[in-house]
Amino acid sequence: ADGELVQYHYGLKDLVTILFYIFIAIILHAVVQEYALDKINRRLHLSKVKHSKFNESGQLVAFHLTSVIWCSYVVVTVRHGAGWALGFQVKFFYLCQLAYWLHALPELYFQKVRKEEIPRQLRCIALYLVHIAGAYLLNLTRLGLILLLLQYLAEFFFHMARLVYFTDENNEKLFNVWAVVFVVTRLFTLTLYILVIGFGLPRVENQALDPERGNFFSFLFNNILFRMSVLLLVCLFQASVMWRFIHFQLRRWREYWNEQSSRKRATTGTKQQAKPLKRDSGYHENGVVKAENGTSPRTKKLKSP
């Protein structure tokens, strides 16, 4: 407690650190793939499409779980630097996050991802890199930590639900948990953006340019025009995310009800086929042949010659 608190700023040397941890992330990616996911895939015998999605979700479950635990530790226990400075844990966390999402670019080639899946994954990687780098360079690290914690928690439940679904297609309970967490995450994200960018940044003291404190980017962008533009973009982005989520849930429920109705029709058709069949001379009931008028047919006696 009496030790000296070392504080950091961002700089060009961060690029070298990020490059080093990109190689570390590639190695860890390969270890998880070989010693965990490949062994599970051999037992499940999944198709090529499910095999690719299973590997993607397996890697992201490991990453999101680690990030949630690490981010929670940083938010709860670590002291931030004074002013615009960063503590070691905060700086290290952000550099590792940037390294992980940058390592995902060469992994698209190493994992032989299908061409139709590449645009979706590139869009996801770009969004994470822009938001994490933006929070790091604009000195919004505290806000970024909380938002990443919420986002990674929702993503963890989604990919965990996909893994369970690939194991047992009748088990979709975790998707319902993910849906609740997803909606709550979107509401918290929008609320935090409005509180910090709309009301918090205008109250920051000493907004003058001070290169020694590292507030160059904040000096350029902490004005009303930039803040309102960011809030507008955030609202539009969250609205588009919610629209896709609602569309996905409606399609999922529609498929569920169509499946239930088809099962009911199949059950009704089976019952109709189980009804007794009429014969020319009568019908069978409980193994006894009866005539159409309800009386049992009698055999004719043969006359003696």
Side-chain angles (χ1 to χ4, degrees):
D2 297 332
E4 182 182 359
L5 177 62
V6 180
Q7 300 176 359
Y8 299 87
H9 296 293
Y10 50 78
L12 293 177
K13 293 181 180 180
D14 292 343
L15 299 177
V16 181
T17 307
I18 291 173
L19 180 61
F20 172 76
Y21 283 104
I22 286 176
F23 294 113
I24 298 298
I26 292 175
I27 295 172
L28 294 176
H29 189 112
V31 170
V32 173
Q33 183 68 41
E34 182 176 356
Y35 291 98
L37 298 179
D38 287 345
K39 292 183 178 180
I40 299 175
N41 277 320
R42 294 191 192 100
R43 297 181 180 180
L44 296 179
H45 304 288
L46 300 175
S47 62
K48 290 184 178 180
V49 177
K50 290 184 177 181
H51 179 83
S52 177
K53 292 182 178 180
F54 184 88
N55 289 336
E56 177 189 357
S57 294
Q59 293 287 347
L60 289 176
V61 162
F63 169 72
H64 289 318
L65 180 60
T66 304
S67 297
V68 165
I69 296 173
W70 189 5
C71 191
S72 301
Y73 170 78
V74 174
V75 170
V76 174
T77 64
V78 175
R79 287 193 300 166
H80 288 256
W84 302 106
L86 301 171
F88 172 77
Q89 285 288 347
V90 178
K91 183 180 180 67
F92 186 50
F93 176 81
Y94 272 92
L95 294 182
C96 288
Q97 292 294 314
L98 292 172
Y100 179 85
W101 290 110
L102 285 173
H103 110 281
L105 295 174
E107 286 295 342
L108 296 177
Y109 173 76
F110 295 148
Q111 296 293 323
K112 298 180 180 180
V113 179
R114 295 183 303 158
K115 293 183 178 180
E116 55 269 23
E117 288 290 326
I118 291 179
R120 178 186 64 84
Q121 295 200 22
L122 286 177
R123 184 167 56 250
C124 178
I125 294 170
L127 286 173
Y128 273 111
L129 287 175
V130 168
H131 284 82
I132 295 172
Y136 183 66
L137 295 175
L138 296 176
N139 299 295
L140 297 174
T141 53
R142 301 184 188 184
L143 174 64
L145 286 171
I146 298 175
L147 293 178
L148 282 176
L149 177 61
L150 295 173
Q151 176 66 20
Y152 286 162
L153 188 63
E155 290 295 307
F156 169 76
F157 280 108
F158 172 72
H159 290 287
M160 194 67 195
R162 280 217 303 185
L163 291 180
V164 175
Y165 175 77
F166 290 143
T167 306
D168 182 9
E169 294 186 356
N170 296 322
N171 192 345
E172 298 184 358
K173 294 180 180 180
L174 274 181
F175 279 110
N176 299 326
V177 178
W178 164 73
V180 175
V181 176
F182 182 87
V183 174
V184 173
T185 300
R186 301 278 73 80
L187 295 176
F188 268 100
T189 299
L190 189 58
T191 304
L192 286 174
Y193 266 110
I194 294 174
L195 291 177
V196 175
I197 298 178
F199 298 98
L201 291 181
R203 299 179 181 180
V204 174
E205 298 179 358
N206 193 11
Q207 297 186 13
L209 178 62
D210 188 359
E212 295 182 357
R213 298 178 59 193
N215 67 340
F216 177 72
F217 287 98
S218 300
F219 170 76
L220 291 178
F221 300 122
N222 193 7
N223 55 72
I224 186 171
L225 179 61
F226 176 76
R227 290 195 300 268
M228 292 301 103
S229 300
V230 169
L231 284 178
L232 179 61
L233 290 175
V234 168
C235 292
L236 291 176
F237 179 72
Q238 296 298 325
S240 65
V241 170
M242 283 299 300
W243 170 253
R244 289 197 298 268
F245 172 77
I246 293 172
H247 181 72
F248 169 77
Q249 291 296 331
L250 291 176
R251 184 180 62 184
R252 180 185 167 203
W253 290 336
R254 193 184 303 116
E255 292 175 354
Y256 173 77
W257 288 114
N258 289 337
E259 183 180 356
Q260 293 296 321
S261 60
S262 63
R263 288 181 179 179
K264 289 182 180 179
R265 287 195 298 268
T267 304
T268 304
T270 304
K271 290 182 179 179
Q272 291 177 354
Q273 292 178 0
K275 289 183 178 180
L277 299 175
K278 291 186 177 182
R279 307 286 182 179
D280 293 338
S281 60
Y283 63 93
H284 290 269
E285 183 177 345
N286 295 329
V288 179
V289 179
K290 292 188 178 181
E292 294 182 355
N293 58 3
T295 60
S296 300
R298 296 181 180 178
T299 57
K300 295 181 179 179
K301 295 182 178 180
L302 296 177
K303 294 181 179 180
S304 58

